[in-house]
Amino acid sequence: MDGLTIVSHPLVQHKLTILRDRESSTQLFRTVVREIAALLCYEVTRDLPTELVRVETPIAVTEAPEIAGKKLVIAPILRAGLDMAEGMLALVPSARVAHIGLYRDPVTLQAVEYYFKTPEDVADRLVIVVDPMMATGHTAIAALDRLKEAGVQEMRFVCLLASRPGAEAVRAAHGDVPIWAAAMDETLDGHGYIVPGLGDAGDRTYGTR
């Protein structure tokens, strides 16, 4: 799918299988979510611009690359995205953090906002929106809508697992926002859950986004 990158690295796929296993404990589930998020962060930031700066090593003075421009913003969709944000912040601790509170109405399946807080200069930064699941895509679309209303020009969306219908909906609504995922499942059930998804062991409320 155009605009959707599936990260097929063996470590990512192995860890995703752990998440799919219904026997995985809640503690293991959350730990592995953070680990996959760090691996996905490596991929989603691969093309960040760098510039040479002067540094002094213990041996000599040299020029070495560092990330150019303003720092990133990691924007987890609450509350499921918090573990992913922690995993990414382990790699980029200087990134700012935005919080987007959304829940899905069980009847309409539409996203309802209850909290929105971003850095004051969010419009000038690259924002990486994170949420473990992209099922119907309604939550992702609402989050991206809200960030665009706040003036954000450049965004990337990262999830552990997308559904094809959800990814197609997000791409149709926000064709300028690329998506990274560890995998994409083909279908949703009648309740909007991804099939086969991530199972139901521990806290698996991640299935209904």
Side-chain angles (χ1 to χ4, degrees), residues 11 23 33 40-41 85 106 123 136 155 176 195 201:
L11 282 176
E23 299 301 323
V33 166
L40 294 176
C41 184
T136 64
M155 290 182 285
D176 58 328
V195 180

Side-chain angles (χ1 to χ4, degrees), residues 41-87:
C41 184
Y42 176 84
E43 295 294 333
V44 77
T45 58
R46 180 182 291 274
D47 64 345
L48 291 182
T50 61
E51 60 185 0
L52 293 177
V53 297
R54 182 182 173 88
V55 296
E56 184 174 353
T57 78
I59 307 301
V61 175
T62 187
E63 290 190 334
E66 71 173 13
I67 294 174
K70 292 190 175 182
K71 299 297 188 293
L72 302 172
V73 172
I74 308 297
I77 297 177
L78 304 178
R79 63 181 170 79
L82 289 173
D83 285 329
M84 287 189 70
E86 287 184 16

Side-chain angles (χ1 to χ4, degrees), residues 97-113:
V97 179
H99 294 93
I100 306 171
L102 295 165
Y103 69 89
R104 193 175 76 165
D105 185 280
V107 177
T108 67
L109 303 185
Q110 296 301 311
V112 179
E113 180 183 320

Side-chain angles (χ1 to χ4, degrees), residues 107-194:
V107 177
T108 67
L109 303 185
Q110 296 301 311
V112 179
E113 180 183 320
Y114 64 89
Y115 187 77
F116 185 81
K117 181 69 173 178
T118 67
E120 291 184 0
D121 60 350
V122 68
D124 300 323
R125 298 173 181 267
L126 167 61
V127 178
I128 300 176
V129 184
V130 297
D131 195 15
M133 305 294 285
M134 180 188 288
T136 64
H138 294 161
T139 301
I141 291 169
L144 298 175
D145 284 344
R146 192 69 173 84
L147 287 165
K148 285 185 176 179
E149 290 173 4
V152 177
Q153 300 295 313
E154 186 178 5
M155 290 182 285
R156 301 174 183 185
F157 193 95
V158 184
C159 60
L160 303 180
L161 183 62
S163 76
R164 181 172 294 276
E168 290 175 346
V170 173
R171 290 296 296 159
H174 294 285
D176 58 328
V177 179
I179 301 167
W180 277 260
M184 181 171 68
D185 289 350
E186 291 295 319
T187 60
L188 300 171
D189 68 12
H191 300 286
Y193 286 82
I194 299 176

